[in-house]
Amino acid sequence: MPGIPLRNGGTAARIAVIPGDGIGKEVTPEAVKVLRAVAGSAKRPMEFIEFDWGADKFLREGVSLPVGAIEILRDEFDAMLFGELGADILLGLRFKLDLYVNARPVELLHDRLTPLRDRTEKDIRLMVFRENSEGLYVGVGGFFKKGTADEIAVQEDVNSRKGVERIIRYAFEYARHNGLKRVCMSDKSNAMNFAHDLWQRVFKEVRPEYAEIDSRHLYIDTLAMEIVRDPRQFDVIVTCNLFGDIISDLGAQLAGGLGLAPSGNIHPGKTSLFEPVHGSAPNIAGKGIANPLGSVLASAMMLEFLGWKPEAVALREAVRAALQENHVTPDLGGEKRTQAVGDWLAERVEVKLK
Ligand SMILES: NC(=O)c1ccc[n+]([C@@H]2O[C@H](COP(=O)([O-])OP(=O)(O)OC[C@H]3O[C@@H](n4cnc5c(N)ncnc54)[C@H](O)[C@@H]3O)[C@@H](O)[C@H]2O)c1
């Protein structure tokens, strides 16, 4: 992933840590513990500043994001590591910081974790890029005759030429940068004949610039079927906000479920946000059994974004080893507690990076 110029002359990284609510408070400290071990072993300074924003603070003080929070995050940090935050805060940050790339890697790290029969690690390795700043999620719309039997609700799908082009280009650049050979753009242009006509035209215009990449188009319904039937077909998928939201969660299940899925909300060259895909999981919060691997894998994405490539690789290898040795939480069939997984990973990366 293209990185960003770091502050402090490129030597140190400054990370805003926002654990949020529920299990966000349990998994995020484990990810930070592992990141501290990485930074210590690599002898590269990384500074963590924690913020207590989230639902608990909102209930206590009536404040979700304090005034000036966005500017502080944007101007004083290289990246953000989130635990779990409500959709309103998260969507607000994505829009206000213009984090237009939602990167959702789908990588099977152990054969036993996929619900697909006879599929192995080498079959499920792809990246979904979801447009993260436009589409049906911008909140443009309204009601007419609300609350009556004649009510009408309208939700507008907002697609700009600039917005569509930059996410399609990002997908191609990512493929080129990582030596990946296939990019699939997915839309519903047969039914959404304005918004996705734009996606079609931009895709057709951009793809010749990446002649070495085998690019193709699938309607989103076909993609949903094909990704289950044979995930080996895909290296990089790029699609709009709504379809990306759905197809990336489908992908998360193919690779072991919510506890393992990381995500990045990225604007190349600017402060970006990394988080596990799961929510606050109230049904297991406070029990010490939340799986921290999604947060740790999100941290690995963050390291890569910051240009710490060998460290990111070491972190992913440690997660793979934890799965191999079944040093994992109950949701993945193990018996370990959240903190024990964090301790084990921290030790493992220390040995690896020494
Ligand atoms: N990105 C986000 O911040 C985000 C994402 C999804 C949901 N949410 C919010 O979280 C709250 C709860 O939502 P939900 O229950 O539908 O989704 P959830 O992701 O919190 O949990 C869904 C299921 O997966 C399990 N699970 C999730 N993460 C796990 C982990 N790390 N280890 C072990 N098991 C895990 C939970 O126990 C639960 O059974 C809602 O308020 C929702 O709006 C936030």
Side-chain angles (χ1 to χ4, degrees):
M1 242 168 276
I4 56 170
L6 295 183
R7 290 156 183 84
N8 306 324
T11 53
R14 202 153 187 262
I15 312 299
V17 178
I18 302 149
D21 306 307
I23 62 166
K25 288 200 181 90
E26 299 170 49
V27 298
T28 315
E30 299 312 310
V32 171
K33 182 192 289 174
V34 180
L35 282 168
R36 283 192 198 280
V38 167
S41 310
K43 300 195 175 48
R44 298 179 75 165
M46 184 171 270
E47 192 186 350
F48 300 92
I49 315 279
E50 192 171 316
F51 297 93
D52 65 349
W53 302 330
D56 291 347
K57 189 181 175 75
F58 180 76
L59 292 175
R60 238 179 15 247
E61 302 169 19
V63 173
S64 49
L65 268 191
V67 178
I70 304 250
E71 290 73 17
I72 291 173
L73 293 171
R74 184 191 64 203
D75 299 336
E76 296 182 21
F77 291 91
D78 297 304
M80 299 166 266
L81 181 65
F82 275 33
E84 189 281 342
L85 277 177
D88 51 335
I89 297 184
L90 197 58
L91 282 176
L93 277 171
R94 286 175 181 169
F95 291 135
K96 287 185 181 136
L97 295 174
D98 199 24
L99 304 172
Y100 68 88
V101 180
N102 189 247
R104 291 280 303 267
V106 175
E107 186 176 6
L108 182 61
L109 295 173
H110 194 289
D111 293 353
R112 74 179 162 82
L113 296 173
T114 185
L116 297 184
R117 198 180 55 226
D118 301 333
R119 293 294 177 202
T120 64
E121 286 175 42
K122 62 179 183 348
D123 298 329
I124 303 177
R125 189 171 304 152
L126 58 101
M127 177 65 98
V128 178
F129 289 119
R130 158 187 172 192
E131 203 295 318
N132 211 27
S133 63
E134 307 192 333
L136 272 160
Y137 290 13
V138 297
V140 175
F143 299 106
F144 181 51
K145 298 186 182 175
K146 188 175 179 186
T148 72
D150 296 325
E151 177 167 353
I152 293 170
V154 176
Q155 194 90 38
E156 296 290 348
D157 188 4
V158 175
N159 295 259
S160 73
R161 161 87 214 193
K162 178 181 125 188
V164 174
E165 182 171 344
R166 65 184 181 174
I167 190 69
I168 288 178
R169 277 195 187 280
Y170 191 92
F172 276 111
E173 286 294 327
Y174 178 87
R176 178 175 276 173
H177 194 73
N178 290 283
L180 300 170
K181 293 283 169 249
R182 295 166 302 181
V183 169
C184 174
M185 191 280 277
S186 188
D187 63 20
K188 189 68 184 167
S189 46
N190 48 350
M192 297 172 69
N193 54 339
F194 302 113
H196 289 184
D197 182 74
L198 177 62
W199 279 75
Q200 280 291 322
R201 281 181 283 122
V202 173
F203 182 59
K204 282 190 184 118
E205 220 174 280
V206 171
R207 68 199 287 198
E209 293 176 38
Y210 300 88
E212 82 278 15
I213 292 167
D214 174 15
S215 57
R216 70 160 159 159
H217 166 260
L218 286 178
Y219 295 125
I220 189 65
D221 41 353
T222 309
L223 174 62
M225 292 192 289
E226 287 299 311
I227 201 173
V228 172
R229 189 183 67 77
D230 185 5
R232 287 174 306 182
Q233 301 172 62
F234 304 102
D235 290 333
V236 176
I237 291 167
V238 59
T239 187
C240 65
N241 208 336
L242 174 66
F243 296 164
D245 193 357
I246 298 166
I247 210 79
S248 60
D249 271 17
L250 192 160
Q253 284 305 330
L254 300 187
L258 273 179
L260 267 176
S263 74
N265 297 269
I266 297 168
H267 187 125
K270 294 191 180 169
T271 309
S272 295
L273 189 169
F274 299 84
E275 55 171 350
V277 168
H278 63 73
S280 57
N283 57 336
I284 57 163
K287 296 186 177 156
I289 53 165
N291 183 354
L293 295 183
S295 188
V296 171
L297 289 168
S299 305
M301 291 179 80
M302 184 179 79
L303 290 178
E304 207 168 315
F305 173 76
L306 294 169
W308 296 31
K309 182 94 189 178
E311 290 82 4
V313 170
L315 205 45
R316 282 204 193 92
E317 272 174 16
V319 170
R320 204 181 276 275
L323 291 165
Q324 209 77 42
E325 297 181 25
N326 211 28
H327 207 98
V328 290
T329 43
D331 58 305
L332 295 180
E335 293 175 347
K336 301 297 172 196
R337 299 183 62 80
T338 312
Q339 288 186 1
V341 176
D343 290 342
W344 192 88
L345 291 171
E347 260 176 52
R348 184 97 185 185
V349 287
E350 268 169 9
V351 171
K352 189 92 193 156
L353 288 168
K354 274 244 157 76

